[in-house]
Amino acid sequence: MRSAGLFAGSNLITMVLRIVGGVLTSRFVDPSVLGQYNGIGLVNGYAPFLQAGVSSGLNRDLPYALGKGDTDHAHMLAAVAQSWSLIIATVASGSLVLVGGWQYLAGRLDLAVGWWSFSIVVFGTLFGQGYLNALFRTSGDFVTLARIHLIGGVSALALVALVWWLGWWGLCLRGLAVAVIGLALLWRARPLKVISTFDRSALMSLARTGLPIMAVGQAYLWWSTLNSTLVLRYAGAEGLGFYAIANLAGPAVLLLSGAFGQVVYPRMSEELGRSGRMRDLVRLALEPTLVSVAATSVAVTAAWFLLPPFVEIVLPKYTSGIGAAQWAVLAAGVMAFAPVNNVFNVVKKQGRYGAAILLGIGVYIAILHYLMRGGVDLVDFPRALLVGRLAFLGVTGTMIVEMVISQEKREFIERRHRDDQRRES
């Protein structure tokens, strides 16, 4: 709780800085320009699939190895994951450079610069957020990570001046600079400094562990990317520009929940290495989850009522996105219950978790098509997202209760069997 509180406090300041930066950025450019930039940026939501589960496996196996006291194995895993992350980040970045070159030859210098800037952003996502971020696993590491986030937030706010000065070109330069700063800070402060090693057996082990985790984790993240993609498909670049307010407001109310989830996950892996009891894992996550639900409820209520006057005064060009932003806040708020779902990845029950995510996405798509039968309205997207996420949470909650009860039953039967054997002896 203390680690998560410090982490969340720093992230709160960082989030406020990023929101202010996002608001100022929206104020300095038209919705169509912002929508074009965010449309190119959707590639950053699909890039993590290239990790093939290696980074996700490191996220799970690194704290597990440390919890068992196997430091040598932990360092070996980090070295192998570093090698793989560098390879895929370089390939992805080079591919986007080629796309930018094609746009340049087609006479679209603005789009070329956009793709070139995102070649650096994607490299930072795959190597920085995908690999380096996974190395920060202890309480002290999370404090360091919080400082890095804070510096990144201050830098992102200061670099808004580029957008005010250069418009589209400033957007591209700002995104590039923020990615480089974040990557440099993570690299310098990384707690495990290893030399890249390519070990096929260790790489396959990480992939076997991480592919199911990545499948469900990226499927959940892809849900939001899919939502933005559908906004772009049905409402166009300008509609996606208006929807930027929703994409700013939604994650803001989940700040505390995200911090708890990031801190609790490795603790749950360590606990599994020690006790192996699912009941202990759920208990470890339950109290922080309840705290995050209470805090998020207050944030959602405040955001619902404050968003309309705020946007009307500060961002009058984006008033068409107010309704969508309010519903996006509500759709995000229900995910305050999500940290306890880490239990699926820790005990390697990703099949069940993936089924719940696919069910939620299916409900979301069905509700979205139902709402859009009379025409496209931006509020339809977050409303459908809300219903889909409620269905997802209902299924995962039922599954967790069933798994805990099943393990308790098995342990009870085993104890009775051992007692019967002792009495017979």
Side-chain angles (χ1 to χ4, degrees):
M1 290 287 288
R2 184 166 52 252
S3 299
L6 290 171
F7 191 57
S10 178
N11 281 357
L12 174 61
I13 300 173
T14 304
M15 180 63 75
V16 169
L17 293 173
R18 293 190 181 277
I19 290 174
V20 173
V23 169
L24 291 176
T25 298
S26 302
R27 187 175 179 85
F28 293 147
V29 295
D30 291 331
S32 58
V33 174
L34 187 60
Q36 178 176 278
Y37 181 78
N38 289 342
I40 296 175
L42 289 174
V43 69
N44 203 40
Y46 293 98
F49 285 101
L50 297 174
Q51 293 168 348
V54 172
S55 295
S56 300
L58 184 68
N59 256 313
R60 191 267 181 193
D61 286 352
L62 181 63
Y64 182 77
L66 293 173
K68 293 183 68 175
D70 195 348
T71 306
D72 291 339
H73 184 62
H75 281 75
M76 186 269 292
L77 293 177
V80 171
Q82 179 173 286
S83 173
W84 174 254
S85 297
L86 281 172
I87 292 172
I88 61 168
T90 302
V91 171
S93 181
S95 300
L96 296 186
V97 169
L98 293 178
V99 174
W102 177 72
Q103 293 287 359
Y104 177 77
L105 293 176
R108 292 299 306 269
L109 179 60
D110 57 338
L111 293 181
V113 172
W115 285 104
W116 288 335
S117 68
F118 268 100
S119 70
I120 305 301
V121 174
V122 166
F123 187 94
T125 297
L126 291 174
F127 185 66
Q129 299 302 318
Y131 167 70
L132 294 176
N133 208 57
L135 302 180
F136 295 81
R137 299 290 89 189
T138 69
S139 299
D141 292 341
F142 281 113
V143 174
T144 302
L145 193 59
R147 292 196 193 101
I148 292 173
H149 290 172
L150 186 59
I151 296 172
V154 172
S155 302
L157 179 59
L159 290 168
V160 171
L162 291 173
V163 183
W164 168 74
W165 182 31
L166 299 172
W168 166 262
W169 316 104
L171 272 175
C172 299
L173 287 174
R174 176 178 181 258
L176 186 154
V178 170
V180 169
I181 291 170
L183 184 60
L185 291 172
L186 285 171
W187 175 257
R188 182 179 179 183
R190 66 195 190 283
L192 291 180
K193 295 177 172 61
V194 295
I195 299 174
S196 296
T197 302
F198 190 84
D199 185 307
R200 187 176 180 275
S201 61
L203 184 65
M204 295 303 296
S205 175
L206 284 172
R208 281 193 298 270
T209 298
L211 268 173
I213 298 175
M214 188 202 75
V216 296
Q218 291 303 321
Y220 175 73
L221 294 175
W222 175 73
W223 193 351
S224 297
T225 304
L226 173 65
N227 185 57
S228 294
T229 303
L230 293 176
V231 173
L232 180 63
R233 166 67 178 82
Y234 291 107
E238 187 175 35
L240 185 59
F242 288 129
Y243 202 76
I245 306 302
N247 286 333
L248 276 173
V253 300
L254 277 181
L255 171 69
L256 187 64
S257 177
F260 278 141
Q262 194 168 355
V263 172
V264 167
Y265 181 36
R267 293 285 305 279
M268 293 173 73
S269 293
E270 291 179 20
E271 184 62 34
L272 180 67
R274 282 191 291 264
S275 72
R277 294 174 60 85
M278 191 174 300
R279 182 178 61 185
D280 295 336
L281 305 184
V282 175
R283 184 170 59 243
L284 185 63
L286 192 57
E287 185 175 351
T289 298
L290 294 177
V291 173
S292 75
V293 168
T296 303
S297 300
V298 176
V300 167
T301 304
W304 181 278
F305 291 104
L306 293 177
L307 270 170
F310 175 81
V311 175
E312 289 170 0
I313 294 171
V314 179
L315 299 170
K317 292 186 292 186
Y318 289 81
T319 53
S320 298
I322 290 176
Q326 287 178 300
W327 282 96
V329 163
L330 193 58
V334 299
M335 296 309 295
F337 290 95
V340 72
N341 286 341
N342 283 323
V343 69
F344 290 102
N345 286 332
V346 173
V347 300
K348 297 185 178 182
K349 296 291 184 181
Q350 291 89 5
R352 297 187 178 192
Y353 192 44
I357 294 172
L358 292 177
L359 174 67
I361 292 176
V363 171
Y364 155 74
I365 292 174
I367 296 297
L368 180 60
H369 281 285
Y370 174 78
L371 293 175
M372 291 196 304
R373 69 193 187 283
V376 178
D377 190 333
L378 282 182
V379 299
D380 294 340
F381 297 93
R383 284 175 177 171
L385 201 58
L386 172 63
V387 178
R389 285 176 171 175
L390 286 173
F392 159 71
L393 290 171
V395 172
T396 56
T398 303
M399 288 179 175
I400 289 173
V401 171
E402 186 273 330
M403 287 192 297
V404 172
I405 292 175
S406 295
Q407 188 183 54
E408 293 293 312
K409 275 184 168 180
R410 288 194 302 271
E411 291 179 352
F412 176 73
I413 292 172
E414 290 171 359
R415 284 196 301 269
R416 288 194 61 179
H417 182 65
R418 288 194 298 269
D419 290 342
D420 290 342
Q421 287 181 325
R422 281 196 296 267
R423 280 195 296 270
E424 289 174 3
S425 297

